[in-house]
Amino acid sequence: MKKIALSLFLAFGLAQASCTFMQPTDVDVTFKAFKTPLKLGVGGHFTEVNYNSTVKSATDLNTLVAGSTVIIEVASVDSNNKGRDEKLLNDFFKQMAGPDIKAKVISLVKDKDARKTGVATVSVSMNGVTRNVPMKYSFSNGKLSAEGVIDLLDFKASKALKAINTACYDLHEGKTWSDVNIGFSMVIKAVCNVPVVKGHK
């Protein structure tokens, strides 16, 4: 009974805790593109991502990250294969308008009856086109992660898609898919004050 009472007490305390979330120092932006008729995935990330926030801290995640922007330097693409990175840069990214990709977090909306999952809406600007992209997010162990899907054709990137397919025709078996999985993650520090309940030690 004592263990049960203690567990209930701790759960109550955490539920009533007042937390302040701090901005991350950096953001990891990832992608997974697909090739061949079997739709094999090729993943990677960008090593240079400039993150700018509107506030330094907040009492909820939406207030913390909504309005934050990132500039993704496409020249920093890293798929763990130097030759492939050169093709991605020259035969894909450089075939589009603008030197970099920009994104802005519009909002984080929690799932109903959930505290640590929800949907993030991110405005993505690429090739002179801006689209709002819904991304499923989760917050666990101090890490905020989100995943979504974009269609390159929505960004009028058919020229770039054709160019990378031509450059990698044999490796891709003539098929480069237009949908790309995208994601981001950041470590967010939370400082929580658990209220003291009278009568308990």
Side-chain angles (χ1 to χ4, degrees):
M1 288 296 294
K2 288 184 178 180
K3 290 183 178 180
I4 295 175
L6 179 59
S7 298
L8 291 173
F9 169 66
L10 290 174
F12 175 79
L14 291 175
Q16 300 300 314
S18 174
C19 297
T20 299
F21 299 97
M22 308 294 184
Q23 283 288 355
T25 56
D26 57 11
V27 177
D28 186 32
V29 175
T30 60
F31 66 88
K32 180 180 283 188
F34 300 94
K35 64 180 183 179
T36 80
L38 291 177
K39 204 171 188 180
L40 302 178
V42 177
H45 72 139
F46 298 92
T47 60
E48 297 294 333
V49 178
N50 300 310
Y51 177 78
N52 293 290
S53 59
T54 56
V55 297
K56 292 183 178 180
S57 63
T59 56
D60 63 90
L61 291 175
N62 180 61
T63 303
L64 184 74
V65 301
S68 298
T69 59
V70 295
I71 298 177
I72 303 165
E73 297 183 18
V74 297
S76 71
V77 63
D78 181 6
S79 66
N80 202 32
N81 183 306
K82 186 176 180 180
R84 182 165 56 216
D85 294 343
E86 290 176 352
K87 288 183 178 180
L88 284 170
L89 179 59
N90 296 316
D91 297 303
F92 181 70
F93 289 117
K94 286 189 176 181
Q95 302 303 313
M96 294 190 288
D100 299 309
I101 299 172
K102 299 179 181 179
K104 180 179 181 180
V105 180
I106 303 300
S107 64
L108 265 68
V109 178
K110 292 186 292 184
D111 289 333
K112 185 178 180 181
D113 300 325
R115 297 179 60 191
K116 296 184 177 182
T117 61
V119 176
T121 300
V122 180
S123 173
V124 178
S125 298
M126 180 174 64
N127 197 37
V129 178
T130 299
R131 292 282 186 271
N132 285 349
V133 179
M135 305 178 70
K136 293 182 178 180
Y137 80 82
S138 63
F139 181 66
S140 180
N141 297 321
K143 185 177 183 179
L144 175 66
S145 302
E147 295 181 343
V149 180
I150 62 171
D151 189 330
L152 296 174
L153 300 182
D154 289 339
F155 293 87
K156 300 181 179 180
S158 57
K159 175 186 174 182
L161 185 64
K162 182 178 179 180
I164 191 66
N165 188 57
T166 300
C168 305
Y169 192 86
D170 290 337
L171 289 173
H172 290 198
E173 299 178 18
K175 179 64 176 179
T176 305
W177 297 76
S178 65
D179 52 321
V180 179
N181 294 355
I182 60 172
F184 70 84
S185 62
M186 59 181 76
V187 176
I188 295 176
K189 182 179 180 182
V191 178
C192 300
N193 297 316
V194 180
V196 176
V197 179
K198 292 183 178 180
H200 292 273
K201 296 182 179 180

